[in-house]
Amino acid sequence: MPRLKLITFDLDNTLWPVDEVIRRAEQRCRLWIAERYPEAAECMTVEAVREIRDQLLREKPGYVHNLTALRRDALARGFMAAGYHSSEAARLAGEAFGIFHDARNEVVFFPGALDILAHLADSYTLGALTNGNADLRRIGIDDLFAFHHSAETVGRGKPEADMFLAALKSSGSRADQALHVGDHPLEDVGAAIQHGFGAVWANLLDQRWPADLPEHPHRIHTLHELRDLVTLLDA
């Protein structure tokens, strides 16, 4: 591999664990609705909202590339099911989503995340590539990244090529000068390799590598390990 210029990172479950973040954000959103619109809350149980989201995905599969729109529109349908006019439902859904999204960006980093980002940013261009809707500015790390591309901003999520190509364009790098770090064996590791990047599997949650995928040699279990691995790969 030629000398590295670009290192891209997935976000959720790569720099911070996300499942508890989403559970807490959804709970805060439900409480906000229940306190202000109790009649709507009765129509917007966890199961009901899940069914609405599934229905929206069946109607418009493209929602999978825009989780913000999916969640906001599901909330709007929930408010409409409670009897609100569509315009009022959309307004309330926007407010409810704001409550969710504020909490969604209250993350707790994996140990070593901030240190390794600061260290790598001194020598490489860093980019964020995510299928989710985390906001780096709200989280407070936007200054460490040269760019942030998401499924929402480029139109399609990983493992498609769009986000990786956008990263190369934003950084002025070639694929053989780029390394991607992520937790998902297919959407991060497999996709990065398919699109010409190097790849590191960030297995910080002790997951099993899928038996139907070729074994990948570059993996870490803590972000502290990334410093030495990048040095090795860039030698």
Side-chain angles (χ1 to χ4, degrees), residues 182-218:
D183 72 289
H184 198 286
L186 179 61
E187 294 177 359
D188 288 308
V189 177
I193 293 171
Q194 179 183 354
H195 303 309
F197 284 49
V200 173
W201 182 33
N203 185 22
L204 280 66
L205 296 176
D206 293 323
Q207 303 298 305
R208 287 184 177 274
W209 184 262
D212 58 337
L213 293 180
E215 283 290 326
H216 185 66
H218 304 311

Side-chain angles (χ1 to χ4, degrees), residues 49-195:
V49 172
R50 185 179 297 118
E51 289 179 6
I52 292 172
R53 293 179 68 184
D54 289 346
Q55 178 63 33
L56 287 171
L57 283 167
R58 287 192 293 270
E59 294 174 5
K60 185 179 176 182
Y63 271 120
V64 73
H65 301 298
N66 193 331
L67 299 182
T68 294
L70 175 60
R71 188 174 294 275
R72 189 177 55 232
D73 291 353
L75 288 166
R77 284 209 180 177
F79 279 110
M80 285 190 286
Y84 288 85
H85 186 272
S86 59
S87 59
E88 180 68 0
R91 183 184 70 80
L92 295 177
E95 293 182 9
F97 178 79
I99 299 299
F100 167 85
H101 203 232
D102 284 346
R104 188 259 186 273
N105 287 297
E106 295 173 4
V107 303
V108 177
F109 292 96
F110 284 120
L114 295 178
D115 288 342
I116 191 62
L117 290 174
H119 170 73
L120 294 175
D122 284 340
S123 302
Y124 304 97
T125 298
L126 301 189
L129 304 180
T130 178
N131 287 351
N133 56 5
D135 186 324
L136 297 187
R137 182 187 59 80
R138 292 192 190 189
I139 292 170
I141 56 173
D142 55 311
D143 60 316
L144 295 171
F145 290 89
F147 58 86
H148 173 197
H149 296 310
S150 70
E152 295 179 17
T153 60
V154 303
R156 291 199 300 176
K158 298 171 292 183
E160 304 299 334
D162 306 59
M163 218 180 298
F164 295 95
L165 293 174
L168 297 179
K169 183 176 181 180
S170 294
S171 64
S173 305
R174 302 191 311 267
D176 62 358
Q177 298 171 316
L179 180 71
H180 181 66
V181 182
D183 72 289
H184 198 286
L186 179 61
E187 294 177 359
D188 288 308
V189 177
I193 293 171
Q194 179 183 354
H195 303 309

